[in-house]
Amino acid sequence: MGRRWQILAVLTFARTAMGFQFQSVTAASADLSGALSLSNTAIGLLIGVYQFPGILLAVPGGWVGQRFGDKQAVLTGLAMMAAGAILSVAGGEWTALLAGRILSGVGAVLMVGGNLAGETRVLTTSIVMFTEMGEFERAIALACVLLGLMLMLS
């Protein structure tokens, strides 16, 4: 497998993991409400808290990608998302679920990264980079693969 396809495979897997993490609470809301006696407000908080680290950590997440490289940022982000998922499932209580969602959100920030000094490009900024470079085929291919996976998983 060529280097480009390996990169595309990792980016696709990372984006798919983000989609699962983001949509998992919504899909499981009825079960969560019953098992943990959560209100609709609590379910909404679990959905929103995944996005919260992005507010605080978007720029530092980009710095991590710039300092340690995109590959390390994506792998660390995936590991944090997996750890957050495990904590959410294994904890069996509200606080563990909340902590797991926050940890997963931090992992997502590391994977998305930023575009500091035009050097740090992960996931969505890769599509922009390919477009700016005039490599429309690569940009469209990446967008189609991600869109196709998300449609299949929805």
Side-chain angles (χ1 to χ4, degrees), residues 49-63 102 105-106 109:
V49 78
Y50 176 77
Q51 300 292 332
F52 185 70
I55 297 168
L56 302 175
L57 301 175
V59 172
W63 286 331
I102 292 170
V106 172
V109 170

Side-chain angles (χ1 to χ4, degrees), residues 74-96:
V74 168
L75 294 176
T76 302
L78 281 171
M80 291 180 78
M81 288 182 70
I86 291 167
L87 177 62
S88 295
V89 171
E93 61 183 36
W94 164 250
T95 53

Side-chain angles (χ1 to χ4, degrees), residues 50-136:
Y50 176 77
Q51 300 292 332
F52 185 70
I55 297 168
L56 302 175
L57 301 175
V59 172
W63 286 331
V64 167
Q66 188 176 21
R67 172 81 166 97
F68 299 103
D70 292 340
K71 180 180 177 182
Q72 189 61 43
V74 168
L75 294 176
T76 302
L78 281 171
M80 291 180 78
M81 288 182 70
I86 291 167
L87 177 62
S88 295
V89 171
E93 61 183 36
W94 164 250
T95 53
L97 189 54
L98 192 63
R101 293 290 291 169
I102 292 170
L103 183 60
S104 294
V106 172
V109 170
L110 287 177
M111 287 193 317
V112 172
N115 190 9
L116 299 176
E119 295 179 19
T120 304
R121 289 187 174 92
V122 182
L123 296 178
T124 53
T125 54
S126 295
I127 296 172
V128 174
M129 178 191 71
F130 293 143
T131 302
E132 289 174 352
M133 292 171 53
E135 296 186 32
F136 301 111

Side-chain angles (χ1 to χ4, degrees), residues 20-55:
F20 269 126
Q21 282 287 350
F22 183 68
Q23 295 295 333
S24 63
V25 171
T26 306
S29 61
D31 294 331
L32 288 171
S33 292
L36 298 176
S37 300
L38 299 180
S39 67
N40 287 338
T41 303
I43 297 293
L45 179 61
L46 287 173
I47 293 168
V49 78
Y50 176 77
Q51 300 292 332
F52 185 70
I55 297 168

